[in-house]
Amino acid sequence: MAPKRFLVVRDTASDGALRGAVLAMGNFDGVHRGHQAVIAAAIDRARGLDQPTGVLTFEPHPRDFFNPGEPLFRLTDEAAKLRLLAANGLDGAIVLTFNAALASLTAEHFVTRILVEQFAVSGVVIGFNFHFGKNRTGSPDFLAAQGARYGFAVDVVAPFELNGRPVSSGPIRDALTDARLNDAATLLGFPWFVSGEVKHGDKRGRELGFPTANLSLAASCGLRHGVYAVRVGLGDQRYDGVANFGRRPMFDSGVILLEVFLFDFAGDLYGRSIDVAFIDWIREEAVFGSVGELISAMQDDAAKARAALKRA
């Protein structure tokens, strides 16, 4: 059976395939377990109505629009978010550009112009704390009243808790900033990962016996600087590895990089896109007394990473 096609509609409903859908609405940064509960409720509602299921989400993240000088540590960029949404069994996603025009749209006009006229929704599912429209006046109660008025179902999903702990994006960011990877993965439902195109570096890793694939992450990335055990996705292939994220204090050029050494791999990765999943924390970045000491530490890092990945 062919995999289900995941449709992405940007700003307009010209394709028409998602008109009449049940939409889970939100920012979905991380697509964590709480978001997955909202998506599951939307899929369940759509089955009952015999309609497709999608998400309605926003790019850039509204917090980045309103606070451009304080960029948000995104758990997932747009591409990763869409990949994760597709993996949750949805038919598609509607991505609205969050700009001044959308920010100034009142909650009532958001409902009438976008949900009713543009997409003719049969249902909308939101989390208990989701607000929308100018000045965030579109509350869950407001949306429920609008659904009754215009004839679409509204479901408000209660806080999702894991062992009594509410799941949201903020605690996941905090866990990654502290390198508490198991905690982050528990809340997400999967190991946190980044994706990117492998860039040319200074080739210093090759000189040290550890040729690395270098990725530039967003400047807002709040992951703790240090050495990690990682798993790398390269197309359909998976590799274990060890990675350093930070400034490389022995050779600090002021550039923050993710440098990934793939175990048991030989080949050219330049220009290719890879996924890097963070599995375990090894140590802080450090300055060593000599290049020889650095090489010895890197060998120890690799051994510890292999052991950690074997246990994972």
Side-chain angles (χ1 to χ4, degrees), residues 190-272:
F190 51 86
W192 184 70
F193 70 95
V194 297
S195 304
E197 183 180 308
V198 177
K199 307 290 187 182
H200 286 275
D202 56 18
K203 310 297 192 294
R204 197 179 301 275
R206 183 177 301 172
E207 296 171 3
L208 300 174
F210 288 86
T212 58
N214 302 321
L215 276 67
S216 296
L217 304 188
S220 59
C221 180
L223 179 68
R224 184 177 178 180
H225 288 189
V227 180
Y228 294 87
V230 299
R231 287 205 164 97
V232 179
L234 175 63
D236 294 330
Q237 302 298 312
R238 299 292 179 267
Y239 297 90
D240 287 349
V242 63
N244 185 90
F245 176 61
R247 294 182 178 276
R248 303 165 298 165
M250 285 283 288
F251 313 102
D252 189 359
S253 64
V255 177
I256 297 175
L257 278 178
L258 175 63
E259 299 176 299
V260 187
F261 175 66
L262 281 66
F263 300 147
D264 310 312
F265 174 82
D268 184 355
L269 292 174
Y270 295 122
R272 299 188 66 179

Side-chain angles (χ1 to χ4, degrees), residues 297-308:
M298 293 168 71
Q299 292 170 340
D300 186 55
D301 294 338
K304 289 179 177 176
R306 285 184 185 273

